[in-house]
Amino acid sequence: MSSASLRLLSKTRQTARIVIVGAGSAGIAAATRLLDLGFRNVLLLEAEDRIGGRVHTIPFADNVVDLGAQWCHGEKGNVVYDKVKDLNLLEVTEPHYETFRCVRSNKEVLPDDLADQLKTIADMSIPDRQAELLDFEGSLGDYINMKYWKELAKLPPIDRTIAEEFLEVFHKFEASVEAADHLFEVSGKGHLEYWLCEGELLLNWKDKGYKRFLKLLMKAREEHSEDLGILKGHVRLNRRIAEINWEGADELTVRCWNGEVITADHVICTVSLGVLKEQHPKLFVPALPAAKVRAIDGLMLGTVDKFFLEFENPPLPGDWPGFNCLWLKEDLEELRASELFWLESVFGFYPVSRQPRILQGWIIGPHARHMETLTEEKVLEGLLWLFRKFLPFETSHPVRMLRTQWHANPNFRGSYTFRSTYTDALRTGAWDLEAPLQDVCGRPRLQFAGESTHKHFYSTVHGAVETGWREAERLHLYYRARTSQL
């Protein structure tokens, strides 16, 4: 037996060196679980100058805002909810995302009864375990269009132009939920693979932000913002990875951009799908196997960005629970011919819980990626133009504006994952991305975690956390089996 093989056989959970690439939700979940299971040599390498990944809570206005993950989605079967349900950290979000006003680009506000009818029809068009989707070969966009017009035909006639305008903004709204550029690239059948946790889907974190959950995972003190809890001494920031070499049967080497080289017995890669798409050909030596590459190519990661505008006082009248923008055809044609074309994908603005002086806006897709390249001044100029174009009242000038840039950041390259029609065509999915690369004796060498590797809870924090725990458990079972054989 070679010396390398003997060295590997002598490894225990106390001596095995585990490197986790990425200190987002999945990486933190994996690291904390491994430490709880008795592993000692656990190291998290994070490219950013902070931990959290796409959970990013910052101080803003009257308390905090979440630039990334914002809500705990659902209760039953949600590991995030299970962790915090008795701690009085969550509350139900006001129904702004259902009761918003619908405003046309000529400042006309749709009457509430008409808006409510259209919202109800749209809501009924969202597939939720509908049997007819099982054999539906088209996109989610095709399916929703079919259902929308079918339901509309059952009602007394509604102005078709307004119905079309509403359908357009509804598409943008739903595309933001999926993180798709548009719904015609989202797999209809694949939509059934996504599981909604029962219970309230928009639970906010009061005035603490989502980072409070990560603090709990790390057993860190809330009052000390820099406290890493049980991860103290296990995290290195500003460590962007240049190469993960998993060649041969011996140890793996991880090379950082700063020249630092770290050796490991196991590497758990939790980088975003966007980073994998862009960097996998150079990042991994040797190249990843075909099934893994097919999953990286086939799964999609879209761009969803947010705007936070802070005002001196609450910016909307008391009876305005947010608004969505319905474009008249001639106004939209004019917009598309101007430098403000990107505003077409800004679909709505809503209040933020416990932040009465803030309006939060959303933008998706290619227009979001373009917006990220503009200066903050240009972005604010565009948003204020949009307010003047749509709102039948004047708003004051914002004190401050924040916008996210999830795609422009090389450490993320997008927001969250969805299954596309292309994913289906390649016959791939999260199961191929999740599969560990093992050596002949079954040792997991290179493992993958993160929301994109979850078959049913992709795009969520609870999904990311489950994948981190999954990979920690994989190592736990491997070493437990090893011990029983000795």
Side-chain angles (χ1 to χ4, degrees):
M1 190 176 285
S2 70
S3 58
S5 300
L6 286 170
R7 190 165 59 247
L8 288 173
L9 283 171
S10 68
K11 290 288 180 182
T12 66
R13 69 184 62 226
Q14 283 76 35
T15 60
R17 298 161 299 170
I18 303 162
V19 168
I20 300 170
V21 179
S25 303
I28 289 171
T32 50
R33 179 59 62 91
L34 284 166
L35 291 169
D36 285 343
L37 289 168
F39 290 86
R40 291 287 165 261
N41 203 332
V42 178
L43 180 63
L44 272 159
L45 300 177
E46 171 52 54
E48 295 274 299
D49 59 1
R50 62 176 181 85
I51 64 165
R54 284 167 279 173
V55 171
H56 191 15
T57 306
I58 64 164
F60 190 77
D62 298 318
N63 46 75
V64 297
V65 292
D66 276 309
L67 300 182
Q70 188 165 337
W71 292 286
C72 173
H73 295 297
E75 300 166 43
K76 191 176 178 183
N78 183 325
V79 294
V80 173
Y81 182 79
D82 288 342
K83 183 85 176 169
V84 305
K85 62 185 176 186
D86 300 321
L87 301 176
N88 194 28
L89 288 173
L90 296 171
E91 67 182 3
V92 177
T93 301
E94 303 89 332
H96 305 314
Y97 289 85
E98 289 102 45
T99 56
F100 57 84
R101 294 293 181 91
C102 296
V103 194
R104 304 179 79 199
S105 54
N106 60 0
K107 293 184 167 56
E108 179 191 339
V109 183
L110 294 194
D112 286 346
D113 57 343
L114 173 57
D116 289 344
Q117 276 186 310
L118 292 170
K119 288 176 194 176
T120 302
I121 293 165
D123 197 47
M124 289 168 65
S125 306
I126 301 171
D128 181 23
R129 309 286 165 270
Q130 284 156 330
E132 60 203 88
L133 254 191
L134 287 169
D135 302 311
F136 189 77
E137 294 298 330
S139 69
L140 185 58
D142 294 325
Y143 181 86
I144 282 175
N145 281 5
M146 178 187 74
K147 290 285 285 185
Y148 180 83
W149 293 114
K150 202 171 172 180
E151 294 300 323
L152 200 68
K154 297 174 185 175
L155 296 179
I158 289 176
D159 185 318
R160 187 171 174 98
T161 301
I162 289 175
E164 285 172 352
E165 292 168 6
F166 183 86
L167 180 59
E168 273 300 307
V169 79
F170 175 62
H171 264 256
K172 293 171 199 170
F173 190 105
E174 280 304 306
S176 79
V177 174
E178 298 286 340
D181 285 2
H182 52 79
L183 294 183
F184 298 106
E185 64 176 354
V186 180
S187 164
K189 195 184 295 182
H191 192 82
L192 287 179
E193 292 290 317
Y194 181 82
W195 291 354
L196 281 176
C197 295
E198 287 177 34
E200 181 58 45
L201 291 175
L202 294 183
L203 291 164
N204 72 71
W205 294 89
K206 300 187 178 181
D207 54 357
K208 302 293 185 194
Y210 219 129
K211 76 173 181 185
R212 184 73 184 91
F213 170 72
L214 297 183
K215 287 269 186 189
L216 286 167
L217 278 187
M218 299 186 295
K219 302 181 176 73
R221 291 169 295 175
E222 186 195 349
E223 62 273 16
H224 295 278
S225 61
E226 301 307 311
D227 184 25
L228 296 177
I230 63 173
L231 292 187
K232 185 179 180 184
H234 293 276
V235 180
R236 292 183 197 169
L237 300 175
N238 301 301
R239 294 299 197 280
R240 199 170 167 200
I241 305 304
E243 182 184 278
I244 299 171
N245 190 313
W246 58 288
E247 197 161 19
D250 203 353
E251 60 193 14
L252 298 85
T253 57
V254 179
R255 183 163 55 83
C256 304
W257 276 37
N258 66 359
E260 185 179 2
V261 176
I262 298 150
T263 53
D265 299 302
H266 311 275
V267 171
I268 302 176
C269 181
T270 76
V271 301
S272 80
L273 178 64
V275 171
L276 288 176
K277 280 180 177 291
E278 183 178 75
Q279 297 181 24
H280 81 82
K282 291 181 180 176
L283 187 59
F284 298 98
V285 176
L288 295 174
K292 190 76 69 185
V293 172
R294 195 165 60 244
I296 292 168
D297 288 345
L299 291 165
M300 295 295 169
L301 186 97
T303 308
V304 181
D305 280 315
K306 305 179 187 181
F307 308 105
F308 293 100
L309 289 95
E310 177 189 357
F311 296 84
E312 286 282 1
N313 299 297
L316 297 178
D319 59 346
W320 273 65
F323 63 93
N324 275 11
C325 302
L326 278 62
W327 283 97
L328 274 68
K329 193 176 179 183
E330 56 271 26
D331 287 340
L332 192 53
E333 286 172 0
E334 198 176 312
L335 178 78
R336 286 173 175 167
S338 76
E339 65 172 14
L340 295 175
F341 66 91
W342 56 274
L343 289 167
E344 178 179 351
S345 293
V346 180
F347 60 83
F349 286 85
Y350 313 86
V352 178
S353 300
R354 304 213 173 196
Q355 287 275 28
R357 298 186 297 111
I358 287 182
L359 262 190
Q360 177 179 350
W362 298 81
I363 183 172
I364 59 163
H367 291 149
R369 294 189 281 277
H370 176 78
M371 177 280 299
E372 292 185 13
T373 69
L374 302 175
T375 63
E376 284 202 355
E377 291 74 19
K378 281 287 184 192
V379 172
L380 180 58
E381 196 179 289
L383 296 180
L384 294 179
W385 179 90
L386 193 73
F387 286 2
R388 290 192 298 272
K389 178 76 176 165
F390 278 85
L391 295 179
F393 49 80
E394 282 191 28
T395 56
S396 58
H397 198 279
V399 178
R400 246 192 326 174
M401 185 205 73
L402 267 183
R403 49 85 186 264
T404 61
Q405 294 170 289
W406 289 108
H407 181 266
N409 188 323
N411 300 323
F412 299 102
R413 289 291 187 231
S415 301
Y416 38 91
T417 305
F418 68 96
R419 274 183 62 171
S420 71
T421 50
Y422 185 53
T423 317
D424 292 347
L426 291 182
R427 302 287 190 270
T428 189
W431 52 90
D432 283 330
L433 194 54
E434 164 198 337
L437 301 175
Q438 303 180 153
D439 60 24
V440 286
C441 66
R443 174 177 66 119
R445 292 168 55 71
L446 181 55
Q447 298 162 255
F448 293 83
E451 53 89 14
S452 58
T453 72
H454 202 297
K455 292 190 272 290
H456 304 297
F457 290 147
Y458 52 86
S459 82
T460 66
V461 175
H462 56 273
V465 169
E466 282 196 9
T467 67
W469 289 346
R470 178 191 71 208
E471 296 311 311
E473 195 64 25
R474 197 186 301 277
L475 288 174
H476 170 58
L477 291 173
Y478 171 72
Y479 280 95
R480 192 171 70 180
R482 285 270 316 283
T483 306
S484 67
Q485 290 165 8
L486 293 176

